[in-house]
């Protein structure tokens, strides 16, 4: 620099090195520290550069890599298989008896009285012992899964069918529709979950479908609220505007951008809720408001076993309780794994644990 | 001049602040005049820079220009045909938009291949079996490794994300690319690289750009012409050389002076604008910049220094706000001026940098009377007195864009009958 006179003129000093010629050599900078090798490997095996993978395959790949979630899924699968094949499933219509499922894993008919001594402890003949009426506990726990699991799955599925469309409509349409739906949700939310369920069963009366109805009426609220919030935030997201700028049709925007981004938390919430609903059904059963007292439902069995427990017969409550515990725990593990799998941002291992803590906590708090 | 590619005439875009159940019920809410009567044209192959402070309506204007937002009034034409008359597919394959925040504008649930091939699929530009190859070409063109196309946006750095967004916009082979703050989310070296990339792409594909930025130095680097925006209006527009050589509008001058200069021997003066940008809900009358303009025109009747008049105008604007106990907040009772009436008027003068006495005796008398009224507690009266006595065209008449040399400026100092005022520019 030769000219050091003070001046008000700009541009005497220039910073060099950002010109296009130098940029080429800097290009290698765009480093790919991690897993680029994996991508290369994959491209090679797939035979094409950058072949697109489907979203669901990616999600499955991420879920598979989570051992605890896999364990949870395995427990759920085993319990489901046991429940389905525990005792033959028969439907009677128009006088015909159609056997849907002929297998019987359970050694005894779960409803048959006095297959052994009453209140006997675990033995080879009756691994889980027998109850006060001499029914085989092992058979009852296996078959009882039918009620608990089907109530959980049905109630959550029906609640989703009610809550998701209503919440989505509230979020999309906005205005008065939104106000109307969300005020109803607010009012129902004002009642404690279990108290409302008890009140509904008390009005409708006992029975399988009435319990399901009570759980649906109390269960759809959280989905409606959740999906509405998600849709409100996704609708305003810049990538939706970006899709509009690309000329995408409304249908494409909803299918490709809004739904995939809004639905993930709902799936996670629904999975976790299966556990909650099973617990709630058991609680109703325990309070004597669920199924009829002699039915083999885990909650009802716990209620029956209460008096036996006082007499020192621990096995009557422990085994149905363990089954309930195992199922709810497994469902929570699966929900947790889904939470991570549905969120591509959590793909890299190190951020996973930290992020999971906060997300799960959120979901659980919404649960209450 | 050839026919403009994109033209806006008297374009306005207003928002309403009405929000929520109660406000909707009662119908309360203000109108935010984000863009207010803008005329703009963009020729084929040129780069137009749009600069302005944040909140002045740049993004709203840019989004309205490409039809992402409905204008409140006025019209936008692309190739002499109103935007509404274009089919969505035809418009979107000609005009593309690059967003400010690349992470927000990329769907986090889609891998890069899907993101970049989406426009190809929407407009069926490339048959499905060749899309992957096309995506790879596009990614290579913007300087990304096509082997990383299976990764999700979160795995990329800011600059790489902006390149992905750029590849997506280029996929439709547009004629016009509107870039909304394309580099403001990036670090300095990445800014320069993206700017160079934009320039290379322009040479290669004959693109036209509208580059929106708050940073004049970025716009200088890429733009052929620059439009300066203040509070929803274009105040200065012209070729970038002319604008940088000889800034005409006082706002442009202030913006230019704010560009950092690496030269340690540089003695240029930094013009600091007083106060904040006024609210676009209720923009100032006349010239919208008059509340902050350092060279606001003094009334002809008096012989006043522009600086002294600026100070008096600031005082009056403050009086009009009319806060409670504003006198205490204005004049700290530090005992320097005593508690007498004269002491307080002196303190007010000090606070607002008003010379004592003013050069013009007649003006001095009016000011003194007003100051005494303030001390007596008659704030409204004082402000009215000052307003009636010192009337500036900046406050009453809205300036039109008028040719001044190479550029067009909306400022009363360039009115024909005021040619003399220009000579008294403080920065020269």
């Amino acid at each position: 620099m030769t000219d050091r006179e003070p001046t008000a003129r700009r541009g005497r000093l220039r910073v060099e090195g950002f010109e296009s010629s130098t940029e080429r050599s800097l290009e290698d900078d765009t480093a790919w520290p991690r897993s680029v090798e994996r991508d290369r490997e994959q491209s090679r095996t797939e035979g094409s550069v950058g072949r697109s993978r489907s979203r669901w395959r990616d999600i499955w790949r991420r879920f598979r890599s989570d051992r605890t979630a896999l364990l949870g899924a395995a427990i759920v699968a085993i319990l489901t298989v046991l429940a389905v094949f525990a005792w033959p499933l028969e439907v009677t219509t128009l006088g015909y008896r159609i056997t849907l499922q002929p297998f019987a894993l359970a050694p005894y008919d779960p409803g048959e009285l006095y297959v052994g001594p009453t209140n006997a402890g675990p033995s080879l003949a009756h691994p889980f012992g027998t109850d006060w009426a001499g029914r085989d506990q092992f058979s009852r726990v296996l078959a009882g899964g039918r009620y608990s699991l089907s109530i959980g799955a049905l109630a959550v599925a029906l609640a989703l069918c009610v809550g998701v469309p209503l919440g989505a409509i509230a979020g999309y349409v906005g205005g008065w529709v939104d106000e109307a739906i969300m005020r109803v949700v607010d009012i129902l939310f004002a009642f404690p979950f279990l108290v409302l369920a008890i009140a509904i069963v008390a009005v409708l009366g006992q029975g399988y479908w009435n319990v399901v109805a009570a759980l649906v009426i109390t269960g759809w609220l959280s989905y409606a609220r959740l999906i509405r919030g998600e849709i409100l935030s996704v609708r305003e997201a810049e990538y939706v505007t970006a899709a509009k700028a690309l000329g995408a049709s409304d249908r494409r925007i909803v299918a490709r951008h809004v739904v995939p981004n809004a639905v993930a938390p709902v799936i996670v919430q629904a999975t976790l809720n299966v556990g909650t609903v099973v617990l709630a059904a058991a609680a109703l059963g325990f309070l004597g408001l669920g199924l009829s007292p002699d039915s083999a439902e885990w909650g009802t069995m716990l209620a029956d076993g209460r008096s036996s427990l006082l007499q020192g017969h621990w096995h009557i409550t422990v085994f149905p309780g363990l089954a309930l515990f195992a199922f709810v725990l497994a469902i929570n593990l699966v929900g947790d794994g889904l939470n991570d799998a549905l969120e591509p941002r959590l793909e890299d291992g190190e951020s996973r644990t930290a992020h999971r803590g906060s997300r799960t906590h959120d979901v659980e708090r919404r649960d209450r | 001049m050839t026919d403009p590619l994109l033209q806006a005439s008297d374009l306005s875009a207003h928002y309403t602040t009405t929000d929520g159940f109660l406000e909707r019920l009662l119908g309360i809410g203000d109108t935010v005049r984000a863009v207010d009567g803008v005329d703009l044209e963009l020729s084929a192959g040129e780069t137009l820079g749009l600069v302005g402070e944040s909140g002045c309506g740049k993004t709203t204007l840019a989004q309205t220009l490409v039809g992402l937002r409905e204008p409140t009034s006025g019209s936008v034409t692309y190739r002499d045909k109103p935007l509404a008359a274009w089919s969505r597919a035809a418009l979107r394959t000609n005009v593309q938009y690059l967003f400010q925040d690349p992470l927000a504008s990329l769907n986090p649930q889609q891998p890069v291949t899907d993101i970049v091939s989406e426009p190809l699929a929407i407009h069926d530009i490339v048959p499905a079996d060749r899309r992957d190859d096309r995506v790879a070409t596009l990614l290579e063109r913007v300087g990304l490794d096509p082997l990383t196309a299976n990764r999700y946006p979160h795995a990329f750095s800011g600059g790489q994300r902006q390149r992905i967004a750029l590849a997506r916009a280029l996929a439709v082979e547009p004629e016009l690319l509107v870039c909304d703050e394309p580099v403001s989310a990036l670090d300095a070296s990445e800014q320069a690289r993206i700017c160079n990339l934009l320039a290379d792409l322009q040479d290669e594909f004959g693109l036209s750009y509208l580059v929106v930025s708050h940073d004049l130095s970025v716009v200088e680097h890429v733009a052929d012409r620059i439009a300066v925006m203040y509070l929803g209006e274009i105040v200065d527009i012209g070729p970038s050389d002319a604008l940088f050589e000889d800034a005409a509008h006082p706002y442009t001058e202030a913006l230019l002076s704010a560009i950092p200069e690496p030269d340690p021997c540089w003695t240029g003066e930094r013009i600091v604008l007083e106060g904040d940008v006024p609210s676009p809900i209720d923009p100032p009358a006349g010239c919208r910049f008059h509340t902050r303009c350092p060279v606001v025109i003094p009334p002809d009747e008096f012989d006043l220094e522009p600086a002294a008049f600026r100070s008096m105008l600031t005082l009056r604007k403050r009086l009009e706000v009319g806060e409670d106990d504003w006198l205490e907040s204005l004049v700290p009772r530090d005992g320097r001026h005593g508690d007498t009436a004269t002491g307080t008027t002196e303190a007010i003068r000090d606070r607002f940098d008003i010379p004592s006495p003013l050069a013009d005796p007649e003006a001095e008398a009016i000011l003194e009377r007003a100051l005494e009224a303030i001390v007596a507690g008659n704030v409204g009266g004082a402000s009215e007195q000052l307003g009636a006595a010192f009337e500036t065209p900046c406050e009453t008449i809205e300036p039109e864009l008028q040719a001044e040399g190479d550029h067009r400026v909306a400022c009363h100092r360039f009115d024909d009958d005021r040619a003399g005022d220009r000579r008294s520019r403080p920065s020269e």
Side-chain angles (χ1 to χ4, degrees):
Chain A
M1 200 160 69
T2 50
D3 171 22
R4 295 201 58 132
E5 292 300 306
T7 173
R9 197 169 55 84
R10 281 176 178 274
R12 199 167 49 166
L13 200 68
R14 288 206 167 272
V15 180
E16 301 288 339
F18 295 124
E19 305 310 319
S20 306
S21 51
T22 29
E23 203 210 336
R24 295 278 168 266
S25 64
L26 287 170
E27 208 96 292
D28 301 333
D29 247 24
T30 5
W32 296 94
R34 207 173 324 127
S35 56
V36 69
E37 280 311 315
R38 192 189 70 202
D39 283 343
R40 281 177 208 275
E41 202 60 47
Q42 194 157 6
S43 316
R44 236 172 270 138
T45 50
E46 284 175 9
S48 136
V49 171
R51 152 134 351 144
S52 51
R53 301 178 295 206
S54 89
R55 172 174 144 82
W56 293 109
R57 269 178 58 199
D58 265 359
I59 290 171
W60 171 236
R61 186 175 52 75
R62 286 193 292 262
F63 185 79
R64 216 176 39 193
S65 67
D66 189 344
R67 298 259 167 88
T68 41
L70 274 187
L71 175 69
I75 295 175
V76 171
I78 290 168
L79 284 174
T80 312
V81 168
L82 288 180
V84 170
F85 293 104
W87 200 247
L89 201 62
E90 286 168 345
V91 182
T92 317
T93 23
L94 306 169
Y96 290 98
R97 262 185 126 183
I98 306 162
T99 309
L100 295 176
Q101 191 280 109
F103 301 99
L105 293 175
Y108 301 95
D109 183 336
E112 198 183 340
L113 305 179
Y114 304 112
V115 294
T118 55
N119 286 332
S123 62
L124 274 178
H126 305 285
F128 290 179
T130 55
D131 67 0
W132 64 273
R135 289 175 293 202
D136 181 49
Q137 279 282 86
F138 182 63
S139 308
R140 285 175 71 77
V141 168
L142 286 187
R146 266 188 203 171
Y147 289 113
S148 295
L149 268 54
S150 64
I151 286 178
L154 258 176
V156 167
L158 290 176
L160 276 176
C161 290
V162 177
V164 169
L166 281 178
I169 289 168
Y172 266 116
V173 180
W176 289 106
V177 180
D178 183 19
E179 298 295 345
I181 294 176
M182 293 329 283
R183 289 307 80 80
V184 170
V185 169
D186 284 346
I187 289 167
L188 287 177
F189 251 127
F191 296 98
F193 165 61
L194 202 56
V195 173
L196 186 59
I198 289 169
I200 292 167
V201 175
V203 171
L204 296 178
Q206 288 187 348
Y208 183 85
W209 288 106
N210 292 346
V211 171
V212 171
L215 293 173
V216 169
I217 291 171
T218 51
W220 69 274
L221 307 172
S222 57
Y223 304 121
R225 198 177 255 188
L226 190 61
I227 193 103
R228 171 180 175 269
E230 287 296 323
I231 281 184
L232 280 184
S233 77
V234 169
R235 202 177 56 170
E236 295 300 316
E238 208 161 58
Y239 51 79
V240 170
T241 321
K244 270 183 214 147
L246 290 174
S249 60
D250 284 347
R251 230 179 59 209
R252 189 185 178 91
I253 290 175
V254 170
R256 293 288 180 113
H257 299 284
V258 177
V259 169
N261 279 289
V263 91
V266 178
I267 293 178
V268 174
Q269 168 88 343
T271 317
L272 294 174
N273 258 8
V274 172
T276 320
V277 163
V278 168
L279 281 181
L284 287 177
F286 185 79
L287 293 172
L289 288 165
L291 307 177
S292 59
D294 59 335
S295 56
E297 193 263 338
W298 292 340
T300 319
M301 287 164 75
L302 285 176
D304 285 350
R306 197 174 35 164
S307 49
S308 315
L309 195 63
L310 293 175
Q311 295 160 20
H313 305 301
W314 56 273
H315 59 275
I316 296 177
T317 47
V318 163
F319 292 109
L322 270 179
L324 202 53
F325 165 77
F327 179 71
V328 174
L329 176 73
I331 277 287
N332 275 308
L333 292 178
V334 171
D336 227 15
L338 269 181
N339 187 27
D340 293 349
L342 288 170
E343 181 60 77
R345 271 165 287 194
L346 298 183
E347 190 158 15
D348 300 325
E350 83 273 17
S351 63
R352 190 171 214 153
T353 5
H355 216 100
R356 171 196 287 180
S358 61
R359 264 298 273 270
T360 321
H361 186 67
D362 279 356
V363 171
E364 231 129 65
R365 214 175 33 212
R366 273 197 299 259
D367 233 22
R368 302 289 137 228
Chain B
M1 196 165 136
T2 50
D3 269 353
L5 192 64
L6 186 75
Q7 188 168 27
S9 46
D10 199 23
L11 189 69
S12 296
H14 299 171
Y15 295 102
T16 162
T17 59
T18 310
D19 188 30
F21 177 59
L22 265 182
E23 287 194 14
R24 251 203 315 276
L25 192 68
L26 301 172
I28 353 173
D30 296 309
T31 306
V32 179
R33 306 155 83 88
V35 175
D36 215 8
V38 164
D39 295 297
L40 203 66
E41 58 214 27
L42 179 72
S43 321
E46 94 168 332
T47 304
L48 176 65
L50 183 64
V51 291
E53 268 165 292
S54 47
C56 74
K58 303 182 298 277
T59 298
T60 309
L61 175 58
Q63 296 197 344
T64 315
L65 282 176
V66 299
L68 283 176
R69 205 177 274 289
E70 285 298 310
T72 311
S73 65
S75 68
V76 184
T77 56
Y78 179 73
R79 289 197 176 279
D80 293 330
K81 201 166 138 189
L83 285 189
W86 286 83
S87 74
R88 185 172 65 200
L91 183 66
R92 295 299 172 217
T93 48
N94 281 316
V95 182
Q96 270 301 315
Y97 194 91
L98 191 63
F99 288 83
Q100 172 171 6
D101 180 354
L103 185 58
S105 67
L106 302 174
N107 185 344
Q109 296 276 359
Q110 283 184 330
V112 171
T113 341
D114 289 5
I115 291 174
V116 179
S117 67
E118 180 156 35
L120 302 175
I122 294 171
H123 301 294
D124 206 13
I125 294 170
V126 179
D129 54 329
R130 295 218 315 274
R131 270 179 208 148
D132 285 344
D133 296 338
R134 187 64 213 278
V135 169
T137 320
L138 282 165
L139 288 177
E140 232 159 59
R141 185 61 205 85
V142 297
L144 286 174
D145 187 346
L147 288 172
T148 58
N150 277 333
R151 301 184 67 67
Y152 288 82
H154 71 91
F156 293 84
S157 73
Q160 289 167 336
R161 285 179 199 140
Q162 196 57 289
R163 284 166 201 258
I164 296 167
L166 196 54
R168 174 174 65 177
L170 289 176
V172 299
E173 293 166 20
E175 278 187 311
L176 169 64
L177 184 58
V178 175
C179 312
D180 182 7
E181 304 263 15
V183 297
S184 64
L186 311 176
D187 63 71
S189 63
E190 200 55 44
Q191 283 192 353
R193 285 190 216 158
I194 296 285
C195 284
N196 289 335
L197 178 62
L198 287 174
D200 290 350
L201 293 170
Q202 184 165 39
D203 293 342
E204 198 173 324
F205 300 111
L207 290 168
S208 309
Y209 287 130
L210 174 69
V211 179
V212 176
S213 180
H214 64 273
D215 187 348
L216 255 180
S217 50
V218 167
V219 166
E220 176 200 16
H221 194 78
V222 294
D224 305 318
R225 279 196 313 139
I226 294 178
V228 179
M229 206 169 167
Y230 184 77
L231 219 62
E233 290 180 340
I234 302 279
V235 294
D236 195 348
I237 181 166
S240 13
D241 314 342
L243 207 86
F244 273 83
E245 279 305 310
D246 180 24
H249 196 280
Y251 182 60
T252 316
E253 243 175 275
L255 284 184
L256 283 177
S257 82
I259 302 177
E261 176 65 41
D263 189 343
C265 298
W266 186 64
T267 57
E269 204 181 333
R270 184 117 204 249
I271 305 170
V272 179
L273 294 179
E274 298 277 334
D276 298 322
V277 186
S279 160
I281 291 173
D282 184 19
C287 173
R288 291 189 174 178
F289 189 50
H290 85 261
T291 52
R292 301 168 78 200
C293 182
V295 288
V296 66
I297 301 169
D300 292 333
E301 304 93 77
F302 306 104
D303 178 25
L304 286 172
E305 283 291 309
F309 182 64
R310 170 72 263 169
S311 309
M312 286 165 62
L313 195 63
T314 310
L315 169 65
R316 208 184 84 215
K317 293 289 165 196
R318 186 68 190 267
L319 293 183
E320 278 168 8
V321 177
E323 305 159 29
D324 293 339
D325 70 351
W326 66 278
L327 197 62
E328 278 70 27
S329 67
L330 281 187
V331 189
R333 302 243 174 223
D334 54 3
R336 250 196 314 145
H337 300 282
D339 274 352
T340 62
T342 342
T344 313
T345 59
E346 282 304 311
I348 295 174
R349 276 172 187 264
D350 256 20
R351 177 72 205 274
F352 287 93
D353 263 340
I354 304 173
S356 176
L358 290 175
D360 188 303
E362 208 176 321
E364 171 63 28
I366 298 168
L367 176 67
E368 196 53 45
R369 268 206 304 283
L371 287 177
E372 276 159 18
I374 295 172
V375 175
N378 183 7
V379 176
S383 125
E384 265 168 41
Q385 274 178 35
L386 285 173
F390 305 104
E391 196 177 274
T392 162
C394 294
E395 201 181 356
T396 47
I397 308 162
E398 195 168 334
E400 300 283 325
L401 274 176
Q402 50 190 318
E404 169 65 28
D406 284 336
H407 34 149
R408 287 184 300 148
V409 188
C411 179
H412 285 305
R413 294 185 310 133
F414 299 96
D415 289 350
D416 289 337
D417 52 339
R418 255 175 234 292
D421 287 330
R422 236 202 122 194
R423 266 176 258 122
S424 61
R425 283 171 60 170
S427 62
E428 279 174 6

